[in-house]
C-alpha cells in the first residue's frame, strides 16, 4: 500500500487557490490531474466527483474537505492539495468552511487502496498540529514534509 | 412510517459489510439519508494509535456501499474522553437529537446501555443480531 506522501503529486500543491466556490475549486484541482496525465477521461472524472458531492458532504469538518472519486476515468491513484485562505463551503457538518482541500482520484479497480487513502488522510487531518502546519506552509515541500511527518 | 434520517453506529472491531448492506437497504426502503457514526476514545497526543484509522476505514466502506446504492450519507467520527457505556450512549442520543434521526441501527455487541438508549428515545431502534455480523 502506497503512502499518501508517495501519491501526493509533488507539483500538485496549490497554496493559494483562487476559486471561492466548491465546483470551481474542484475544477481547479482536477486540472492538475489532467495536466499530469492522471485522468483518461476528464469529463467523466469531473462528473464522478460532482456526483459524489451531491450525494454526501466531503467536508469532514475542522476546515478540511476531501473530495474524491473512484472511476474508470482515472489511470493511477493520486492526490492533489489546494489551500484556500478564505475557505470554501463544502457543506461540512460542523458548518465551517474548508481551507485545506485534498482531491483524491482512484481507478475503479483500486477500492482497497482508495478507502485506505481516505482513512489515512482523514486521520492525519484530524490532528490539529498537522492542520496548523499545512495552513502555515510556505512552500510545497513543507506540505509534503508535514504529510510525511504525520502519516 | 416517514423516516428521513437513519443513524447507524459502527463498531471499529466488527466487519462493516453485513451491517452496512442491511442499513443501506433500509435507507433505500425509506428513501432516507444515512448518518454513519463511529465513536472512539480521544487519543493521547503521545500515543500512536490506529484506532482512528480503523474508524475512518469503516466509515468510508459504508460510504462506498451507500454511494453505489444511490443513498445520501454523512460520516461522523466522534471522540470522547472515556469509552464507557454511559458516555457512548449519551453521545448517540445527542447526535440523534441534533440531526433529527428517525431510526437507529446499532450492533448487538455495541458498548452501550441499550435500556437507557431505548428509554431515552421515541424512535425505532434496530439491534443488529450478532450472528449476522459473521461474514
Amino acid at each position: 500500500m502506497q503512502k499518501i506522501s508517495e501519491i501526493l503529486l509533488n507539483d500538485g500543491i496549490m497554496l493559494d487557490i483562487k476559486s471561492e466556490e466548491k465546483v470551481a475549486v474542484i475544477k481547479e484541482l482536477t486540472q492538475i490531474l489532467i495536466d499530469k496525465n492522471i485522468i483518461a477521461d476528464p469529463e467523466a472524472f469531473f462528473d464522478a466527483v460532482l456526483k459524489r458531492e451531491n450525494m454526501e458532504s466531503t467536508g469532514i469538518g475542522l476546515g478540511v474537505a476531501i473530495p474524491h472519486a473512484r472511476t474508470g476515468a482515472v489511470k493511477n491513484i493520486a492526490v492533489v492539495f489546494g489551500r484556500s485562505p478564505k475557505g470554501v463551503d463544502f457543506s461540512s457538518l460542523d458548518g465551517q468552511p474548508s481551507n485545506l482541500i485534498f482531491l483524491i482520484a482512484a481507478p475503479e479497480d483500486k477500492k482497497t487502496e482508495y478507502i485506505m487513502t481516505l482513512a489515512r488522510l482523514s486521520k492525519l487531518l484530524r490532528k490539529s498540529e498537522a492542520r496548523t502546519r499545512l495552513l502555515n506552509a510556505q512552500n510545497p515541500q513543507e506540505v509534503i514534509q508535514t504529510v510525511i511527518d504525520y502519516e | 412510517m416517514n423516516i428521513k434520517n437513519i443513524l447507524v453506529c459502527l463498531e471499529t472491531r466488527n466487519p462493516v459489510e453485513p451491517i452496512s448492506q442491511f442499513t443501506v437497504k433500509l435507507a433505500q426502503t425509506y428513501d432516507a439519508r444515512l448518518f454513519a457514526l463511529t465513536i472512539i476514545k480521544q487519543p493521547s497526543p503521545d500515543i500512536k494509535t490506529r484506532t482512528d484509522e480503523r474508524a475512518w476505514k469503516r466509515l468510508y466502506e459504508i460510504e462506498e456501499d451507500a454511494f453505489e446504492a444511490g443513498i445520501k450519507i454523512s460520516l461522523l467520527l466522534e471522540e470522547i474522553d472515556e469509552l464507557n457505556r454511559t458516555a457512548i450512549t449519551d453521545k448517540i442520543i445527542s447526535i440523534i437529537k441534533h440531526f433529527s434521526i428517525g431510526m437507529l441501527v446499532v450492533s448487538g455487541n455495541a458498548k452501550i446501555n441499550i435500556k437507557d438508549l431505548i428509554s431515552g428515545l421515541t424512535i425505532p431502534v434496530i439491534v443488529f443480531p450478532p450472528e449476522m455480523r459473521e461474514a
Side-chain angles (χ1 to χ4, degrees):
Chain A
M1 184 82 64
Q2 288 178 294
K3 291 183 171 181
I4 296 165
S5 51
E6 293 169 340
I7 56 175
L8 175 60
L9 300 182
N10 285 352
D11 38 10
I13 295 169
M14 298 179 75
L15 296 178
D16 191 7
I17 281 189
K18 302 296 178 208
S19 307
E20 297 179 7
E21 189 269 328
K22 180 170 77 171
V23 174
V25 167
I26 292 170
K27 191 172 270 187
E28 214 173 325
L29 291 173
T30 297
Q31 191 58 49
I32 303 173
L33 294 168
I34 295 168
D35 293 343
K36 295 296 157 195
N37 202 25
I38 298 291
I39 308 294
D41 184 340
E43 193 175 337
F45 174 74
F46 190 63
D47 287 348
V49 176
L50 291 190
K51 184 180 177 189
R52 198 173 275 270
E53 288 297 324
N54 290 331
M55 297 289 289
E56 66 208 44
S57 163
T58 60
I60 64 169
L62 306 171
V64 175
I66 311 178
H68 52 278
R70 178 172 63 93
T71 160
V74 177
K75 294 179 185 173
N76 305 303
I77 191 162
V79 179
V80 291
F81 168 68
R83 187 174 67 190
S84 166
K86 284 186 179 175
V88 179
D89 182 10
F90 270 80
S91 306
S92 297
L93 289 178
D94 67 1
Q96 298 297 312
S98 300
N99 305 99
L100 305 173
I101 301 143
F102 285 83
L103 174 64
I104 301 177
E108 186 74 39
D109 61 349
K110 297 287 184 189
K111 184 175 179 179
T112 303
E113 291 91 333
Y114 170 64
I115 286 176
M116 286 309 298
T117 300
L118 280 161
R120 288 175 179 173
L121 194 53
S122 300
K123 174 192 170 185
L124 186 158
L125 292 166
R126 292 279 289 197
K127 293 178 177 150
S128 60
E129 316 89 64
R131 293 197 306 275
T132 301
R133 279 181 56 177
L134 291 171
L135 286 168
N136 295 325
Q138 298 297 307
N139 53 60
Q141 190 51 44
E142 286 185 21
V143 171
I144 293 167
Q145 192 57 51
T146 301
V147 173
I148 291 170
D149 290 346
Y150 285 92
E151 77 173 324
Chain B
M1 197 182 301
N2 185 16
I3 292 172
K4 296 284 183 198
N5 297 323
I6 297 174
L7 175 68
V8 56
C9 301
L10 304 174
E11 299 290 307
T12 55
R13 63 184 186 278
N14 292 341
V16 77
E17 192 181 351
I19 197 168
S20 170
Q21 290 177 350
F22 172 78
T23 313
V24 167
K25 280 181 187 166
L26 203 60
Q28 284 179 314
T29 301
Y30 288 102
D31 193 22
R33 180 184 191 90
L34 270 184
F35 288 76
L37 168 71
T38 57
I39 300 174
I40 62 172
K41 188 174 186 295
Q42 175 109 38
S44 168
D46 58 345
I47 295 175
K48 285 201 170 182
T49 173
R50 289 196 175 274
T51 305
D52 46 352
E53 185 175 302
R54 280 202 303 274
W56 279 115
K57 182 169 180 283
R58 296 286 180 266
L59 291 172
Y60 283 116
E61 284 171 337
I62 193 170
E63 183 195 271
E64 276 300 286
D65 289 345
F67 181 70
E68 287 169 9
I71 295 297
K72 292 188 174 182
I73 186 168
S74 296
L75 309 183
L76 299 161
L77 187 140
E78 293 288 335
E79 294 178 351
I80 56 178
D81 293 335
E82 288 298 328
L83 272 185
N84 59 57
R85 290 178 186 275
T86 302
I88 293 171
T89 304
D90 289 348
K91 175 58 75 177
I92 291 171
I93 290 173
S94 73
I95 287 169
I96 285 169
K97 290 176 178 170
H98 185 76
F99 292 107
S100 303
I101 299 297
M103 181 181 280
L104 172 66
V105 180
V106 292
S107 294
N109 67 344
K111 197 175 176 183
I112 54 173
N113 288 327
I114 192 72
K115 194 177 167 187
D116 290 351
L117 190 64
I118 292 172
S119 64
L121 298 171
T122 56
I123 62 169
V125 178
I126 295 175
V127 180
F128 198 71
E131 62 270 20
M132 289 181 70
R133 291 196 307 278
E134 303 299 328

